[in-house]
Each structure stands twice: as C-alpha cells, then as structure tokens.
Amino acid sequence: MEDGGKKRGIVIRDDWPGYSLDLFTYPEHYRDDIDSVYIPHGVVVDRTERLARHIVEDFCADANITVLCVLKGGYKFCADLLECIKVLGRNANKYLETRVEFIRLKSYLNDQSTEDLHIVGSRDLSFLRAKSVLIVEAIVDTGKTMKALLKHVLTFQPKMVKVAGLLVKRVPNMDDNLTDYVGFEIPNRFVVGYALDYNEYFRDLNHICVISKSGKHKYKV
C-alpha cells in the first residue's frame, strides 16, 4: 500500500448504510439504540494489524517509542494496536520497545464537538522531550481537537510525532496532514462502539455502529 493508502485508509462511501443488526451479536439492551453495524469488529481487528505493520516499518530506526493514548475512546484501539506491534516484534525477533502514557481529552457534548478542548489530568508532558511519539486516537473529525493536542505536544520538543487514527471523518476542509496512519475514512456520521461513546454509553459494543435517533434522545444529557 502506498503512503496515500495509509493517509486515507479504507474509504467508506457516503451512501454505505452498514450491515443489518440481525447479522451480528451485540448487547441486547442497545437493540433500539443503533441503526446498523457500520464496521464489524473483525474488520477493525484486521485493519489494525495492517496499521501495526506500517508503524513498525516507520519506527524501525528507533529502539523505542512513546505511545500517547487519547482516552477514553482510544483505549481499545490502542491496546489492540500495541498487541499487534508486540506480536510482529516477537515473530521478527526485533522488538519495538513501547512506553505507554495516557491523556484524556473532552470536547464533545452529546453529538456535537464544542469549541473548547479540555485536557483532563496532568498537562505536563515533559517526558516526551527528545522522544519518538505516536499519538493514538480513535476518531478524528473536525480536527480541532487533534490540532490543539499536537500544538500542546510540540511544546515539549519531542524528536518526532506521528498520529494513528482508527477513524477519520470526511468533513469539509478536512486536513489530511493531521493523521499519518488511518484505519478507515468514513462519512460525517456519528458512530459508537469499540470504546467510542455517546455520553459514556455504547463503549461495550465490539462493533462500530451508527447510533439511532432514539438512542441519541434516550442518552442525551
């Protein structure tokens, strides 16, 4: 796959409705709260394995990297991605040592991105100085959150920074330069599952699903 493929990932067209819920298993209490299975869990896992290969190839010159996992939505993707990196290293007998740190961001209210970015917890990322850094994020949509985070990270003078995003939304004025590794490029639809939430619900879904209107109303704050 060429770099363009890494930048855009698997492109899901605008008219893709997703798969019928009857084809998959999921928590029954969400039956009326989701419209479809947008990306099945197995497809997510396979794509994550491929991203891990790209990352190992790109970071092979470094003995170790510092992974900055964006919570809460990124924890599942990050854990699976690092497991793939570990397996690749074991099979090739060349380990890429990883130090994992966590940062929590909050920029959403219900299904709308707000103007303000809140870093929850410590803002001191001085441990990134002179390090090769991989930021792992579940979803990049408007880009405002990632731009603000990158600006903050760069103040600590890391050696290199790359971004892995499982999902990148296709929105007006989308900045392709924000993410170096993309799992899926998706239309501007609100999705949940695989640790992505709507007001802290739906993180327990394995698949990435489209939330229904009734689901938004049910869990609205």
Side-chain angles (χ1 to χ4, degrees):
M1 181 178 295
E2 298 178 353
D3 287 348
K6 284 191 290 185
K7 284 287 187 182
R8 297 196 67 189
I10 296 175
V11 178
I12 298 179
R13 65 181 188 268
D14 289 342
D15 60 350
W16 169 238
Y19 296 97
S20 169
L21 297 177
D22 294 334
L23 297 175
F24 298 90
T25 57
Y26 56 91
E28 189 63 26
H29 55 272
Y30 288 141
R31 170 166 288 276
D32 297 326
D33 304 326
I34 50 179
D35 282 335
S36 65
V37 172
Y38 209 55
I39 309 175
H41 180 252
V43 178
V44 174
V45 170
D46 281 359
R47 181 62 184 149
T48 300
E49 290 177 358
R50 184 59 178 168
L51 291 182
R53 289 184 179 274
H54 289 312
I55 291 167
V56 169
E57 291 169 0
D58 289 350
F59 282 86
C60 63
D62 290 283
N64 56 74
I65 60 174
T66 299
V67 176
L68 192 61
C69 175
V70 180
L71 297 174
K72 295 181 182 176
Y75 81 84
K76 180 64 175 169
F77 174 47
C78 186
D80 289 349
L81 183 65
L82 292 181
E83 181 63 24
C84 291
I85 290 174
K86 183 174 69 175
V87 170
L88 286 171
R90 184 166 63 237
N91 291 339
N93 198 29
K94 183 179 180 182
Y95 287 91
L96 186 62
E97 183 181 343
T98 55
R99 170 182 173 179
V100 186
E101 299 288 345
F102 301 92
I103 186 169
R104 185 179 175 191
L105 308 178
K106 186 173 179 60
S107 61
Y108 261 84
L109 180 63
N110 295 318
D111 63 345
Q112 298 297 314
S113 177
T114 65
E115 292 294 330
D116 298 325
L117 170 68
H118 300 283
I119 298 178
V120 182
S122 175
R123 297 176 61 91
D124 182 12
L125 304 179
S126 56
F127 56 84
L128 298 179
R129 193 176 310 278
K131 298 294 194 302
S132 294
V133 179
L134 176 67
I135 298 175
V136 178
E137 172 66 290
I139 187 165
V140 178
D141 45 22
T142 65
K144 292 183 296 185
T145 300
M146 184 53 65
K147 285 180 180 178
L149 177 58
L150 282 169
K151 182 178 179 180
H152 182 61
V153 166
L154 289 173
T155 63
F156 296 97
Q157 300 179 327
K159 176 183 176 183
M160 175 178 65
V161 181
K162 289 185 178 291
V163 177
L166 177 63
L167 305 176
V168 172
K169 283 189 180 181
R170 197 162 48 248
V171 297
N173 301 316
M174 181 175 67
D175 189 346
D176 293 334
N177 295 319
L178 288 177
T179 44
D180 301 281
Y181 314 98
V182 177
F184 304 86
E185 182 187 294
I186 66 173
N188 190 15
R189 305 186 70 180
F190 196 88
V191 293
V192 294
Y194 196 67
L196 290 167
D197 76 306
Y198 176 78
N199 294 329
E200 297 301 328
Y201 291 93
F202 301 101
R203 294 194 195 276
D204 52 338
L205 278 168
N206 281 333
H207 311 294
I208 295 175
C209 301
V210 177
I211 188 173
S212 66
K213 290 183 179 179
S214 61
K216 288 183 181 180
H217 179 74
K218 181 178 179 180
Y219 298 110
K220 186 177 181 180
V221 295

